[in-house]
Amino acid sequence: MPVLRSAFIALSRNRSLRRFCENSRIGVKLSSRFVAGMEIEDVLRVAEAVGGQGMAVTLDSLGESVTSEQEAHKAADVYHQLLDLLAARKLNANISVKLTQMGLELSHALAEKIARSLAQHAHATGNFVRIDMEDSRLTQNTLDIVRRLNAHPDSRGAIGVVIQAYLYRSQSDVEQLLVDGIRVRLCKGAYKEPPAVAFPHKADVDANFVRLSGLLLDSPIFHAIATHDESMIAAIKAYATQHKIEPARFEFQMLYGIKRDLQRRLVQEGYKVRVYVPFGSNWYPYFMRRLAERPANVIFLAKNFFRS
Ligand code: FDA
């Protein structure tokens, strides 16, 4: 399985295959299990439907690693539009943003300026921007930007970040973020990282995930625990019960199209659930990372494809 995971992660960076898949009708159809659609209206429809099932959403306008300042501004414009539409339609939804899509690899100042305008917009409309975490070359810069933006009164509380349990550094990052009062989404981590920076074995990642969840749940800040792993979820529920932490003090987050029964079950049990809903035509790298997490998805998607 680790070989397949590496293969899918390598494929996620293949530009020719990406161009081919994103422009093919079959590719678009296959991706629809994990991607809400190509247009803003598609994702708003999904947000409303998910909301009808008692869950919140976070919306991701797909795309990463832009190659020009113009592209970065164009990507940010979609999020500005979304923030206005979410306020107008009163949807229980916030946004998830990647800093490489805002130009981080071109200029840190550009990405920070764009992220600041999104955080200010979110603050002004009573909303929230989650900065997704990308590969470990970008961790420090991402945390620095989030920390600086959260320190501004015109965006304080309207910006949060993601911590990946597979990184050795994450415990000290969580401790610092708690001191700064920044909201965290904890996940296991989706990129291929070398053993010099990340736990190579799943058991160690899982143990760190549970340890870091405890730190987050003990803090008075509202955090998110993002996983589909039922053993992680059971451990977190048990920790919350044992420490008398009310279910309203945190939320579980899961990806659109994954473990839908579990999402609904948690809502029935009284937990808050937020679904991460991606949309847009740049779906290929996101889709390939979902296959890397569970290579059996290829068989699952193929079966559904031929059935429909
Ligand atoms: P694990 O991979 O151990 O899977 C547990 C079980 O869940 C599997 O056995 C399977 O049943 C099911 N499952 C998991 N992935 C599946 C899939 N793709 N298809 C079908 N079933 C699947 N990562 C990152 O690096 N930066 C980020 O910003 C984010 N953001 C983020 C937001 C949200 C809301 C979620 C849920 C996840 C992320 N991630 C992420 C991805 C995360 O790091 C991780 O790769 C996936 O969540 C898979 O890990 P699990 O915790 O689900 O456990």
Side-chain angles (χ1 to χ4, degrees):
M1 280 313 202
V3 179
L4 280 175
R5 177 176 149 82
S6 303
F8 279 117
I9 290 183
L11 283 176
S12 77
R13 302 198 195 99
N14 186 310
R15 284 168 194 265
S16 325
L17 192 58
R18 174 176 179 175
R19 230 184 347 265
F20 173 77
C21 290
E22 286 180 349
N23 290 314
S24 89
R25 278 183 38 210
I26 295 177
V28 169
K29 189 169 174 204
L30 283 175
S31 71
S32 66
R33 169 71 193 205
F34 302 127
V35 176
M38 300 298 126
E39 308 296 335
I40 284 190
E41 275 308 321
D42 296 327
V43 79
L44 292 177
R45 231 184 343 267
V46 168
E48 214 161 308
V50 173
Q53 297 175 34
M55 294 179 268
V57 292
T58 184
L59 307 183
D60 170 17
S61 170
L62 288 166
E64 40 205 84
S65 295
V66 294
T67 50
S68 72
E69 188 169 339
Q70 200 188 10
E71 252 186 283
H73 284 294
K74 214 170 133 198
D77 286 347
V78 175
Y79 280 112
H80 282 295
Q81 264 187 65
L82 267 179
L83 285 170
D84 287 333
L85 287 165
L86 296 178
R89 300 195 193 182
K90 298 189 173 41
L91 288 170
N92 189 358
N94 60 37
I95 57 172
S96 286
V97 175
K98 286 188 175 49
L99 288 184
T100 57
Q101 196 186 5
M102 303 301 134
L104 186 64
E105 288 173 311
L106 300 173
S107 142
H108 293 174
L110 170 67
E112 182 160 346
K113 190 171 138 212
I114 293 181
R116 168 168 299 136
S117 75
L118 287 171
Q120 287 170 342
H121 191 168
H123 192 266
T125 53
N127 210 321
F128 178 76
V129 183
R130 176 79 60 185
I131 301 296
D132 284 345
M133 190 57 82
E134 300 176 73
D135 71 67
S136 63
R137 294 169 304 127
L138 306 167
T139 309
Q140 192 59 50
N141 288 327
T142 303
L143 291 173
D144 289 345
I145 290 177
V146 170
R147 211 167 270 135
R148 280 196 292 274
L149 297 186
N150 192 62
H152 265 266
D154 56 4
S155 49
R156 185 168 300 137
I159 187 157
V161 75
V162 177
I163 289 291
Q164 298 152 321
Y166 62 18
L167 295 184
Y168 302 132
R169 58 175 289 164
S170 287
Q171 176 156 351
S172 84
D173 287 337
V174 164
E175 285 163 356
Q176 185 56 49
L177 289 163
L178 293 181
V179 171
D180 295 330
I182 295 176
R183 285 167 62 177
V184 172
R185 172 202 294 151
L186 179 66
C187 67
K188 289 192 188 179
Y191 296 80
K192 176 146 182 58
E193 299 291 355
V197 299
F199 296 105
H201 301 296
K202 177 175 160 53
D204 296 319
V205 178
D206 289 356
N208 203 34
F209 191 96
V210 173
R211 194 165 36 243
L212 299 182
S213 299
L215 291 179
L216 295 177
L217 261 54
D218 284 341
S219 89
I221 305 158
F222 188 84
H223 298 294
I225 309 293
T227 181
H228 316 92
D229 187 335
E230 303 213 27
S231 61
M232 296 295 102
I233 291 173
I236 285 141
K237 284 174 170 178
Y239 187 91
T241 308
Q242 203 183 344
H243 293 82
K244 301 195 168 30
I245 296 162
E246 291 295 319
R249 278 190 38 208
F250 64 98
E251 68 187 8
F252 286 112
Q253 292 191 355
M254 290 186 217
L255 302 178
Y256 177 67
I258 298 179
K259 294 259 175 135
R260 293 182 291 197
D261 293 349
L262 177 59
Q263 297 174 8
R264 285 192 284 265
R265 207 181 331 134
L266 286 168
V267 172
Q268 280 158 12
E269 290 170 0
Y271 291 98
K272 283 181 178 287
V273 176
R274 185 178 298 272
V275 180
Y276 183 108
V277 188
F279 73 102
S281 51
N282 297 315
W283 50 266
Y284 175 83
Y286 176 89
F287 179 70
M288 292 309 267
R289 284 200 297 278
R290 303 296 74 86
L291 298 187
E293 280 153 7
R294 189 167 173 267
N297 274 339
V298 173
I299 298 165
F300 166 81
L301 289 174
K303 272 192 193 152
N304 283 316
F305 185 80
F306 289 114
R307 207 175 286 148
S308 55

